[in-house]
Amino acid sequence: MTPSANATSLPMPGWASRRADISAAGLARLVFTLALGGCALLPAGYLLWAALPVLFDGGWLAHFASTTLPHQARTSLWVALEAAVVAFAVGALPAVVVSRFDFRGRRLVTVLALLPLLFAPYVTAGTWTVMFSWAFFEGRHALAIQHGLACSPYLFIIFRVAAARIPSAFSELAAALGLGPWQRLLRVHVPTYAVPVAAGLMIVLAQTIGDYAAAERLGIDTLSVGVHNLWLASQSSSVAAVVSVVMIVPAVFAVAVAAWAATSIISQNPIPPAAAAACRKPLARPLAWGLVGFSLLCSLPAFWIPEVLTVRWAWIKWDRTRFAAIPGDMLNAAGTSLCTALVVAAVCALTALLLRSGGRSRLAERAPWLFLSNYFLPSLVLALAFVMMSADGSLGAQWLGSWRDSRLLVVVSEALRFMPFAMLPVLDALRRTPQATIEVARTFGAGPVRARMVAFAGHLWPALLLGCALVFMESLKELDMSLMLQPFGYTSPALKIYAFSRNQNMDRAAVWVLITQVLMLLPLLLLCWRMNRLGAPGRAGSGQSAGA
C-alpha cells in the first residue's frame, strides 16, 4: 500500500470530534426550532384544545354562525378592503417614487409618510368624533380611512425596502425591447412587486380585522367587537374560545401559506442581490411638488389635524392634569414596552445565531413564521388565551405563582403578537447572508457565535434594531391586551386614553396622548434615518444594509 493511499484511508485528526460537534449543533437547532414553533402556536393551540371538547355543546357556534357572524364578517372584510386601498395609495405609491427618483423633498415625504405611527386608530377615532358632529365620522368608511392611514407607514416601509432592491435595469430592458408603459406595468412591475403587495395586504387585514378599540368607539359591529360582546354577555371564557375557533383556523391557514411562499418563492428570487444596481433618476419638478403636496394632504387627517387638536386640548385642560402621575405612567409604559422589545430582540438574536442561514433547513426557516399566527389573531383572542391559561386553579397559575399578578402576561402576549415586526426582517436578512461568509470567518479562527455576529453585522443587526423599534412603538399603543391582562394597580397612558375617550373626554386624554408620542419619538427618528439611507448613492450595498 502506497503512503498516499494509506494516508487517504486514515481518518483526519479531530474528525470524530468535529462530527460530534456538528451532530450536537444540529440537535440544538432542532430543539430550538421545535421550541420556537411551540411558543408561536401556544395561544392558538391552547384555544383549540379548550374549545374542541365543547365546540358543539350549547349551540353557541351554530347561533353565532347563523346570526351575527355573517354580518360581522362582511363588515370587517369591507372595512379591511377599503383600508387597504387607502394604505396602498398613501404608503406604497410615495415609497416607490422616493426609491426610484431623486428630487427635492424626498426626506420630507419620508417623514410625512411615517408620522401616522404616532397615533393609534382608537385615538384618532375619538378625536374626530369629539371634535366634529358629522355622522360620517362615526361610520364604517371613517373607520376604514383611519385604519388605512394608520397602516400606511408599514406599507411605506415594505415598498421602500422592496423598491430599493429592484434594479431599474429591468424596466429599461423591457423598454428597449419595445414594451409600452402598460406592458411594462403588467409584465415587469406587477410580478416584481407581488411579494410586497401580498405582505402589505396581510398587514392591513390583520390590523383592521383584529382591531377592537376603534371599532367599539365608533359602534361598528366587527368580528372583534362581536367576540368581546359575546364574551361579556355569556360571562364564559369557554364560549369565547368556541367563537374564536372561527378566526383561529383561517389565521393558521394564512400563516402556512405565508411560510411556504417565504421559503419557496422569496428565497429563490434573484432580485434582492441586485439591490446595488438600483439607481435613482431625477424627477420633474411639477411631479415632485405634486408628490410632496399629496403626502402633505394625506398627513393632514393622519397626523397634523389630530395633533393640533391634541395639543390644544392639552393646553386648555392643563390645570386639570395630575402631574404627579406623569412620571410613574411614563416609566410604566416605557418599562413594559422596553421589556417587550428586549424579549423580541433576544428571541430574534437566538434565531439568527442558532439557525442556519441560506435556507438549508426548511423546518428551521419556516418555524419562525408561525409567529404570524399571533399577529393575524385579534388582540382580544390572544388575550383570551392567556386569561384561560392563567385562570385560578389552572396549571399556568400554579407555575406563575405571584408572577401572574405582574406585567409578565402583558409583556409575553405583546411579544408574541409583535414578534413578526422584528422576526421577519431578521429572516429576510438571514436568507441574504451567504453561508460562505460564516465559513470564512470560522477559517480565520472565529468561534461559531463570533463568526455569525461578524457575518450578520452588515444588515441583520440594523434590521433587528428597526424591528425592535417598531415593536416598542406598537407596544406603547397597544390597548386591547393591556385592557384584558392588566394586573392590579397597573396603569399606562393607553389605558387612561381609553378610559377618558369612552366618556367623550378626549380633552382629558390629550396629555396622555402626547406622553405616548414623546416616548415614541426616538424610535420614529431612527426609522426615518434608516429609510432615508436606503439606496443612498455612493454607498455600496446600502440598499441591503438597511434590511428592514
Side-chain angles (χ1 to χ4, degrees), residues 252-298:
V252 174
F253 175 77
V255 169
V257 174
W260 171 83
T263 54
S264 301
I265 298 176
I266 302 177
S267 54
Q268 297 178 3
N269 194 340
I271 292 175
C279 181
R280 291 195 299 265
K281 297 180 178 180
L283 185 64
R285 182 170 296 180
L287 295 178
W289 285 113
L291 178 63
V292 173
F294 174 76
S295 299
L296 182 59
L297 180 64
C298 293

Side-chain angles (χ1 to χ4, degrees), residues 429-469:
L430 279 175
R431 282 193 298 269
R432 294 184 291 106
T433 302
Q435 184 68 20
T437 308
I438 301 175
E439 295 174 356
V440 169
R442 293 295 305 273
T443 303
F444 282 99
V449 175
R450 177 173 169 76
R452 281 165 172 77
M453 293 186 67
V454 172
F456 298 154
H459 50 265
L460 188 142
W461 303 132
L464 178 59
L465 179 62
L466 291 186
C468 290

